[in-house]
Amino acid sequence: MALLSSFLSLLLLLLTIASADSGPPSLFFPGLIYSSSSLKNPKPRTTITYKTHYFPQTLDHFTFHPQSYKLFPQKYLINTQFWHKNGPIFVYTGNEGDIDWFAANTGFLPDIAPKFNALLLFIEHRFYGESKPFGNKSTSTAKKLGFLNSQQAMADFAVLIRSLKKNLSSEASPVVAFGGSYGGMLAAWFRLKYPHVAIGALASSAPILQFDKITPWTSFYDAVSQDFKEASSNCFQVIKGSWPELQALSTYKQGLAELSRTFRACKQVRSIYSARDWLWEAFVYTAMVNYPTAANFLKPLPAYPVTEMCKIIDGFPPGATKLSRAFAAASLYYNYSSSQKCFALENPSDDHGLSGWNWQACTEMVMPMVVSNESMFPPSSFSYKEFSDDCEKNYGVRPRPHWVTTEYGGTDIKLVLKRFGSNIIFSNGLQDPWSRGSVLKNISDTIVALVAEKGAHHTDLRSATADDPDWLVDQRRQEVQIIEKWISDYYKDLEGA
Amino acid sequence: MALLSSFLSLLLLLLTIASADSGPPSLFFPGLIYSSSSLKNPKPRTTITYKTHYFPQTLDHFTFHPQSYKLFPQKYLINTQFWHKNGPIFVYTGNEGDIDWFAANTGFLPDIAPKFNALLLFIEHRFYGESKPFGNKSTSTAKKLGFLNSQQAMADFAVLIRSLKKNLSSEASPVVAFGGSYGGMLAAWFRLKYPHVAIGALASSAPILQFDKITPWTSFYDAVSQDFKEASSNCFQVIKGSWPELQALSTYKQGLAELSRTFRACKQVRSIYSARDWLWEAFVYTAMVNYPTAANFLKPLPAYPVTEMCKIIDGFPPGATKLSRAFAAASLYYNYSSSQKCFALENPSDDHGLSGWNWQACTEMVMPMVVSNESMFPPSSFSYKEFSDDCEKNYGVRPRPHWVTTEYGGTDIKLVLKRFGSNIIFSNGLQDPWSRGSVLKNISDTIVALVAEKGAHHTDLRSATADDPDWLVDQRRQEVQIIEKWISDYYKDLEGA
């Protein structure tokens, strides 16, 4: 039983529900109705358009085979409307999806660009979106996918930024890296590996310590569980109790038909594990995006959606099964807009082109996770051996589970970075289960942690809205202040140089 | 006319002597006799033996193709006689030759190991010595050589060191990187890129600024010329005047026969350029190893060999040609031990397996050099285009001349590292022409430059001898003090962590 969770595309490998109640539960579904007014997202303060460009990028920066020199078009988005020449360049270090999606969900940058007279640059990560070195065949074989990894991605960023600055005749412009989630890891690592390219980094919700044994393997699912338990102890218990009810459906003939009906499946489901994964994803992702305002990152959701889910569960009439309540709660995630008449449980859509992440998780991005008995999920363990065998089977290569900590560090991070490096903000919201694998304490005067108890997955990178709570306004204000200091120090040093 | 010089294996491409006198010079050779006593190298204080091991190293750290996982045996030398568990590990980051040779010429480490209770580790650079991923065929094609570069080499170091520390159950041991020349570049870059592996680096004679246009392209040959001019103005003038005399030999029928006789060639030379390169190398290398004591790094040589060469030139009877004097001076370099009865001008030996460097110079290690009119060498220019065409012709790939500064920085190094990084010593001797491309001024409190006016190419890394001048004793004393501080800070931080 090997479990490995992966940002926006959960990789559920060999997970088995460890216990099951006997007998079929009776299922019940009350339906969910939302008024259209609650669907309105708060309007962002700034609207902005980006120009799309494509940069001829080198396929392999770290070998010199004739093939390494192959160029592929790497997409990037740029906005210069606020920029003054030699002014700062704010770079979003793109992560595992198409870059337009990340740009649309990183309103913090256009919000602050006018204040800084900053140029905005969003660089798409290789092998995602339109930046596929071998076109549609890019993910077909290990021979092609072999070029997909974080080191190559950061070298792409460095090469592209250098070239852009030269073309703009603005070599002296200070560059600040921004990123969320895996993009935040890239931003932090980019500052550490390419300090000559970026003067600082805002790494939002970047779990750079989720590797090897740095962070306890139980922490992620314990954190999800804690979010639900804090919203409602009953809610937590209901979800925890729903898995045995689900398991029990597999023990009798009509179980799957009943499950399909209850879960409004568009097609009859072939396995209870489809329903399990569907529920599982809903709870995990909702915890991640437990934002204080209505938002539409992964799906359209109301403010504090974990609380809303628990209200659904807690509001059920007595006698309803736990599984039906869990389903109703999960429906909030999948169908807040009420547009779904049925659910494609076994054909989850990949709207943002995230599938390359599974390759990355099977090579370098190995973040082992287990589910403890105390969590609300079915307990599970993790075995490097089994995980490795699965990756070999699926991709023809095995993970290098200790490579990330060899290449980027992480073990004893305070000891290592106390006297090395500078200008990194690790921002986190404790609602986000990924926060447990990030840096939550200051490392030095200039490598600092900003922690928001009520924050979720890179909340700070989202557009400011009129509904933002004070702690969020304050978190962003601190970030702006710190970045201002980096930039003013840079210009001061530049003058004195 | 493209000229590119490369540490220990000079790459003389398309160099043409730009001017030539008319008429043949009459050549004259007085012969060189040295007493056997002057041949004795001062005895190093410490004798030490290393155990040889081979580590199963990954072929390609930065891609995940099935082939990337191939393992090759990487050689390393280890000595534990002074080591206490959890005591420091001093790593020599091997450069472009067999590691035994560098170990034999880095007596500084065994000299200081007892004081630090340090383990000594010399890691051979991939594709050199015995560490050839494809055995004897490793350098046969670009497809194989493609894996030879500095990024892969440093990843090798990181992986090997991590594994060794684990096997020794000594994960808390602080690691300090040491290297000279290209190995010094690797040591400095290793500290910058892998601060979680090495707590500091002594980068001796490491010209990390010899790339792009950071250091003037004329500086290297101007520095060689300055060494000779400072030893004797006449000496400089004689060498400068010898090239036209050599060129003139190509203008008449018996010129090459005469040249061969005068230069004691074992076989008649086919081109005056063989003699030119032979002289050229002698002057350049002698400037590099212009050590204050007798030494045998590249060749056995007396103390201050540039001065000795100039004594030969200045001691000639009136009427001798400049070329004959230049030859006599160069003979000091090739034949100080008087063992050569004739010289293999056209078949230079490669005793230390340095040939892989030409590949590195044709891919990432592009350090353009030109010869100014003021230097003692025939003027030459450098063209990226011509150089690139030559590399394409020789290796089937083209250089990436701006890659090193993209990957490692260097431009505005003070601006970049003033507030980033720590614990690097850049040590240099100004006799060494490579010093012009290194860091000669302190960057911060902890990234410091130690400059010895009379020092040569990584003089400080050599064994201490009874004849060492005070400035050298003092330079090494400062290095030890600084390294002591790094280590005591580390242990202090470790206790407080």
Side-chain angles (χ1 to χ4, degrees):
Chain A
M1 294 186 297
L3 179 62
L4 192 124
S5 196
S6 317
F7 298 107
L8 305 170
S9 91
L10 284 176
L11 191 71
L12 296 160
L13 286 171
L14 291 175
L15 177 73
T16 310
I17 293 178
S19 67
D21 286 338
S22 59
S26 67
L27 298 172
F28 175 80
F29 176 63
L32 293 167
I33 297 167
Y34 295 95
S35 72
S36 63
S37 70
S38 69
L39 264 178
K40 269 197 291 185
N41 278 343
K43 204 175 165 185
R45 284 183 186 151
T46 321
T47 53
I48 192 172
T49 54
Y50 295 97
K51 280 196 181 163
T52 301
H53 293 271
Y54 299 86
F55 178 79
Q57 188 58 267
T58 297
L59 179 62
D60 188 352
H61 301 281
F62 304 109
T63 67
F64 294 89
H65 304 118
Q67 186 200 5
S68 315
Y69 291 73
K70 176 185 150 82
L71 300 175
F72 70 92
Q74 179 170 30
K75 183 172 172 178
Y76 64 96
L77 310 178
I78 194 166
N79 175 290
T80 57
Q81 76 187 86
F82 310 110
W83 191 56
H84 296 179
K85 195 170 163 184
N86 288 324
I89 295 175
F90 288 174
V91 178
Y92 186 91
T93 51
N95 30 328
E96 74 285 22
D98 63 79
I99 194 64
D100 298 272
W101 181 47
F102 293 114
N105 282 280
T106 311
F108 180 59
L109 289 191
D111 282 353
I112 65 171
K115 180 183 175 65
F116 285 95
N117 296 318
L119 182 150
L120 299 183
L121 174 65
F122 284 76
I123 310 178
E124 192 163 71
H125 192 295
R126 56 166 57 200
F127 282 84
Y128 294 96
E130 295 179 58
S131 302
K132 294 188 173 136
F134 305 96
N136 288 337
K137 292 182 180 166
S138 295
T139 54
S140 62
T141 61
K143 221 176 147 184
K144 296 194 178 79
L145 279 165
F147 299 103
L148 164 54
N149 60 62
S150 61
Q151 296 98 75
Q152 300 280 358
M154 284 193 278
D156 292 343
F157 300 153
V159 168
L160 192 156
I161 292 167
R162 181 177 181 164
S163 169
L164 184 77
K165 287 175 80 168
K166 200 180 169 194
N167 285 345
L168 294 168
S169 302
S170 196
E171 275 96 340
S173 281
V175 171
V176 180
F178 295 77
S181 194
Y182 170 51
M185 290 160 56
L186 293 176
W189 290 336
F190 192 67
R191 168 61 181 156
L192 287 173
K193 294 279 191 183
Y194 295 87
H196 49 286
V197 183
I199 67 159
L202 170 56
S204 183
S205 301
I208 59 167
L209 308 180
Q210 195 77 50
F211 299 90
D212 272 348
K213 297 199 167 170
I214 305 174
T215 299
W217 291 2
T218 53
S219 70
F220 184 89
Y221 287 105
D222 284 351
V224 177
S225 305
Q226 191 182 323
D227 285 355
F228 282 83
K229 199 182 235 168
E230 278 175 3
S232 150
S233 171
N234 175 64
C235 177
F236 168 88
Q237 290 297 345
V238 167
I239 295 170
K240 190 176 174 71
S242 69
W243 312 106
E245 290 182 6
L246 176 62
Q247 185 68 33
L249 285 177
S250 66
T251 59
Y252 67 103
K253 210 179 161 190
Q254 292 303 314
L256 285 177
E258 191 174 326
L259 176 66
S260 303
R261 225 168 26 245
T262 316
F263 273 55
R264 292 193 182 177
C266 302
K267 279 190 183 171
Q268 177 157 331
V269 296
R270 284 166 297 177
S271 155
I272 59 158
Y273 297 120
S274 310
R276 182 202 58 188
D277 295 354
W278 188 86
L279 291 174
W280 189 295
E281 287 196 26
F283 300 136
V284 169
Y285 288 149
T286 303
M288 276 169 61
V289 298
N290 195 22
Y291 295 132
T293 58
N296 181 359
F297 176 41
L298 301 171
K299 306 268 184 192
L301 283 171
Y304 293 119
V306 169
T307 303
E308 296 303 316
M309 276 190 168
C310 285
K311 278 187 192 161
I312 292 167
I313 285 176
D314 292 347
F316 262 67
T321 64
K322 289 173 177 137
L323 185 59
S324 63
R325 297 181 192 207
F327 167 73
S331 299
L332 176 76
Y333 176 74
Y334 292 108
N335 200 24
Y336 181 51
S337 59
S338 300
S339 60
Q340 307 287 314
K341 300 300 165 210
C342 63
F343 295 111
L345 270 67
E346 285 174 338
N347 293 301
S349 64
D350 179 11
D351 300 337
H352 306 294
L354 308 170
S355 67
W357 184 261
N358 288 345
W359 163 267
Q360 289 193 256
C362 261
T363 48
E364 55 167 357
M365 293 294 154
V366 182
M367 296 184 271
M369 291 182 177
V370 304
V371 179
S372 70
N373 289 326
E374 288 69 41
S375 101
M376 69 181 200
F377 295 95
S380 77
S381 59
F382 178 85
S383 145
Y384 277 120
K385 168 82 174 61
E386 286 176 28
F387 180 63
S388 178
D389 289 345
D390 279 335
C391 291
E392 164 69 25
K393 200 174 131 198
N394 288 330
Y395 290 112
V397 298
R398 292 186 179 274
R400 292 179 187 157
H402 312 298
W403 170 241
V404 158
T405 48
T406 302
E407 178 67 11
Y408 302 119
T411 311
D412 299 320
I413 192 167
K414 172 136 193 171
L415 185 65
V416 171
L417 297 185
K418 187 182 172 186
R419 297 172 192 268
F420 183 96
S422 59
N423 297 4
I424 304 176
I425 301 169
F426 290 99
S427 68
N428 279 284
L430 292 186
Q431 295 296 302
D432 178 14
W434 290 113
S435 65
R436 301 303 186 276
S438 188
V439 176
L440 298 174
K441 285 183 182 168
N442 290 351
I443 288 178
S444 66
D445 287 351
T446 60
I447 303 182
V448 297
L450 296 181
V451 180
E453 204 194 327
K454 289 283 180 192
H457 204 48
H458 46 73
T459 317
D460 50 340
L461 293 187
R462 303 191 62 76
S463 291
T465 74
D467 301 340
D468 289 341
D470 288 348
W471 58 259
L472 178 54
V473 174
D474 190 55
Q475 189 180 19
R476 292 195 184 117
R477 189 188 48 72
Q478 286 184 67
E479 290 170 359
V480 166
Q481 265 183 6
I482 293 169
I483 295 167
E484 273 181 320
K485 171 92 166 58
W486 296 345
I487 292 172
S488 72
D489 279 350
Y490 170 82
Y491 285 122
K492 223 184 297 162
D493 292 347
L494 186 67
E495 273 172 35
Chain B
M1 294 184 298
L3 178 61
L4 192 123
S5 195
S6 319
F7 296 107
L8 305 171
S9 90
L10 284 176
L11 192 72
L12 296 158
L13 286 171
L14 291 174
L15 177 73
T16 311
I17 292 178
S19 66
D21 287 337
S22 58
S26 68
L27 300 171
F28 174 82
F29 176 64
L32 294 167
I33 297 167
Y34 295 94
S35 73
S36 63
S37 70
S38 68
L39 265 178
K40 268 197 290 183
N41 279 346
K43 205 177 167 184
R45 282 182 187 153
T46 321
T47 54
I48 192 172
T49 54
Y50 296 97
K51 280 195 182 165
T52 301
H53 293 270
Y54 299 86
F55 178 79
Q57 188 58 267
T58 297
L59 179 61
D60 188 352
H61 302 279
F62 303 109
T63 68
F64 294 89
H65 304 118
Q67 186 200 7
S68 315
Y69 291 73
K70 176 185 150 80
L71 300 174
F72 71 92
Q74 180 170 31
K75 183 172 172 179
Y76 64 96
L77 311 178
I78 194 165
N79 176 290
T80 58
Q81 75 187 86
F82 309 111
W83 191 56
H84 297 179
K85 195 172 164 183
N86 289 324
I89 296 175
F90 289 174
V91 178
Y92 186 92
T93 51
N95 30 328
E96 75 284 24
D98 64 78
I99 193 64
D100 299 272
W101 181 47
F102 292 115
N105 282 281
T106 311
F108 180 59
L109 289 190
D111 282 353
I112 66 171
K115 180 183 176 62
F116 285 95
N117 297 317
L119 182 151
L120 299 182
L121 174 65
F122 284 77
I123 310 179
E124 193 163 72
H125 192 296
R126 56 166 57 201
F127 281 85
Y128 294 96
E130 294 180 58
S131 301
K132 293 187 173 139
F134 305 96
N136 287 337
K137 290 181 181 167
S138 296
T139 54
S140 62
T141 61
K143 221 175 147 186
K144 297 194 176 80
L145 279 165
F147 300 102
L148 164 55
N149 60 63
S150 60
Q151 295 99 74
Q152 300 279 359
M154 284 193 281
D156 291 342
F157 299 154
V159 169
L160 192 156
I161 291 167
R162 181 178 181 163
S163 169
L164 183 78
K165 286 175 80 168
K166 198 178 171 197
N167 285 345
L168 294 168
S169 302
S170 196
E171 273 97 341
S173 280
V175 171
V176 180
F178 296 78
S181 195
Y182 169 51
M185 291 160 56
L186 293 175
W189 290 336
F190 192 68
R191 168 62 182 156
L192 288 173
K193 294 278 189 182
Y194 295 87
H196 49 286
V197 183
I199 65 159
L202 170 55
S204 183
S205 302
I208 58 167
L209 308 180
Q210 195 78 51
F211 299 90
D212 272 347
K213 295 198 169 172
I214 305 174
T215 298
W217 291 3
T218 53
S219 70
F220 184 90
Y221 287 105
D222 285 351
V224 177
S225 304
Q226 190 182 323
D227 285 354
F228 281 84
K229 200 182 233 167
E230 277 176 3
S232 149
S233 170
N234 176 62
C235 177
F236 168 89
Q237 289 298 344
V238 166
I239 295 170
K240 191 175 173 70
S242 69
W243 312 106
E245 290 183 5
L246 177 62
Q247 186 68 33
L249 284 177
S250 67
T251 59
Y252 68 105
K253 209 179 161 190
Q254 292 304 313
L256 285 177
E258 192 174 325
L259 176 66
S260 302
R261 227 170 20 248
T262 316
F263 272 55
R264 291 190 182 177
C266 301
K267 280 188 182 173
Q268 178 158 331
V269 296
R270 282 166 299 177
S271 155
I272 60 159
Y273 298 119
S274 311
R276 182 203 60 189
D277 294 354
W278 187 87
L279 291 174
W280 189 295
E281 287 195 28
F283 299 137
V284 169
Y285 288 148
T286 303
M288 276 169 61
V289 298
N290 195 22
Y291 295 131
T293 58
N296 181 0
F297 176 42
L298 301 171
K299 306 268 185 192
L301 283 170
Y304 294 119
V306 169
T307 304
E308 295 304 315
M309 276 191 168
C310 285
K311 276 186 195 164
I312 292 168
I313 284 175
D314 292 348
F316 262 67
T321 64
K322 288 171 176 140
L323 185 60
S324 64
R325 296 182 193 207
F327 167 74
S331 299
L332 176 75
Y333 176 75
Y334 292 108
N335 200 24
Y336 180 51
S337 60
S338 301
S339 60
Q340 307 287 315
K341 300 301 163 207
C342 64
F343 296 110
L345 270 68
E346 285 174 338
N347 293 302
S349 64
D350 179 10
D351 301 336
H352 306 295
L354 308 170
S355 67
W357 184 261
N358 289 343
W359 163 266
Q360 290 194 255
C362 261
T363 47
E364 55 168 358
M365 292 294 153
V366 183
M367 297 183 269
M369 292 182 176
V370 304
V371 179
S372 69
N373 288 326
E374 288 68 42
S375 101
M376 70 182 199
F377 295 96
S380 78
S381 59
F382 178 85
S383 146
Y384 276 121
K385 168 83 174 63
E386 286 178 28
F387 179 63
S388 177
D389 289 345
D390 280 334
C391 291
E392 164 69 25
K393 201 172 128 198
N394 288 331
Y395 290 111
V397 298
R398 292 186 179 275
R400 291 180 187 156
H402 311 298
W403 170 242
V404 159
T405 48
T406 302
E407 178 67 11
Y408 302 118
T411 310
D412 298 321
I413 191 166
K414 173 135 194 170
L415 185 66
V416 170
L417 297 186
K418 186 183 173 184
R419 297 173 192 268
F420 183 96
S422 59
N423 297 3
I424 305 176
I425 302 169
F426 290 99
S427 69
N428 279 285
L430 292 185
Q431 295 296 302
D432 177 16
W434 291 111
S435 64
R436 301 303 187 276
S438 187
V439 176
L440 298 174
K441 284 183 183 169
N442 290 351
I443 288 177
S444 67
D445 286 352
T446 60
I447 303 183
V448 298
L450 296 180
V451 180
E453 203 194 328
K454 288 286 180 189
H457 204 48
H458 44 75
T459 317
D460 50 340
L461 292 187
R462 303 191 62 76
S463 290
T465 73
D467 301 341
D468 290 340
D470 289 346
W471 58 260
L472 177 55
V473 174
D474 190 57
Q475 187 180 19
R476 291 193 184 119
R477 191 188 47 74
Q478 286 184 68
E479 289 169 359
V480 166
Q481 264 184 5
I482 293 168
I483 294 166
E484 273 181 320
K485 172 93 167 58
W486 297 345
I487 292 172
S488 71
D489 279 351
Y490 170 82
Y491 284 121
K492 224 183 298 162
D493 292 348
L494 186 67
E495 273 172 38

